[in-house]
């Protein structure tokens, strides 16, 4: 299992209540990040206390990840919809 696969598994196992978390890798490191779970819980607490943003950048060592918290109890805001990530050019 690669480090990226391990990170996907770790994020899935953390199971933040009422949110589904996606991760986009900007830079992949060699050593596993050690504080990812604490980072996710910290950002979850910020959301619960009124933070408007749902995208957070995690940096540790050579790693750089963009983590997006999607609520599971309502429709995703247009600003965070995945359809805005891909533009089809003809």
């Amino acid at each position: 299992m690669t480090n990226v696969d391990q990170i996907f598994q770790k994020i899935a196992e953390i199971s933040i209540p009422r949110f589904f978390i996606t991760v986009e890798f900007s830079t992949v490191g060699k050593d596993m990040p050690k504080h990812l779970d604490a980072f996710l819980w910290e950002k979850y607490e910020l959301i619960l206390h009124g933070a408007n943003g749902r995208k957070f950048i995690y940096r540790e060592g050579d790693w750089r990840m963009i983590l997006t918290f999607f609520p599971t109890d309502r429709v995703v805001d247009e600003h965070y919809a995945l359809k805005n990530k891909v533009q089809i050019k003809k």
Side-chain angles (χ1 to χ4, degrees):
M1 184 180 299
T2 67
N3 284 346
V4 169
D5 292 334
Q6 289 177 15
I7 289 171
F8 284 138
Q9 183 173 353
K10 183 173 190 161
I11 290 172
E13 289 173 354
I14 291 173
S15 186
I16 303 287
R18 301 187 319 246
F19 288 94
F20 175 79
I21 301 170
T22 62
V23 60
E24 188 178 332
F25 295 93
S26 298
T27 308
V28 177
K30 293 180 182 168
D31 298 325
M32 283 295 293
K34 294 177 178 37
H35 306 290
L36 181 58
D37 53 342
F39 177 84
L40 290 172
W41 285 109
E42 175 187 322
K43 298 310 176 190
Y44 174 66
E45 287 295 322
L46 286 175
I47 291 170
L48 292 180
H49 289 92
N52 290 331
R54 296 290 184 265
K55 273 192 176 182
F56 303 97
I57 297 174
Y58 177 77
R59 293 182 185 100
E60 183 177 336
D62 294 334
W63 291 95
R64 185 173 185 275
M65 300 174 224
I66 302 165
L67 299 149
T68 307
F69 287 66
F70 289 99
T72 57
D73 62 346
R74 64 182 181 268
V75 176
V76 175
D77 293 337
E78 283 287 320
H79 181 72
Y80 295 104
L82 292 176
K83 69 181 184 181
N84 294 334
K85 296 292 279 181
V86 179
Q87 292 180 341
I88 300 173
K89 295 182 180 181
K90 291 185 179 186

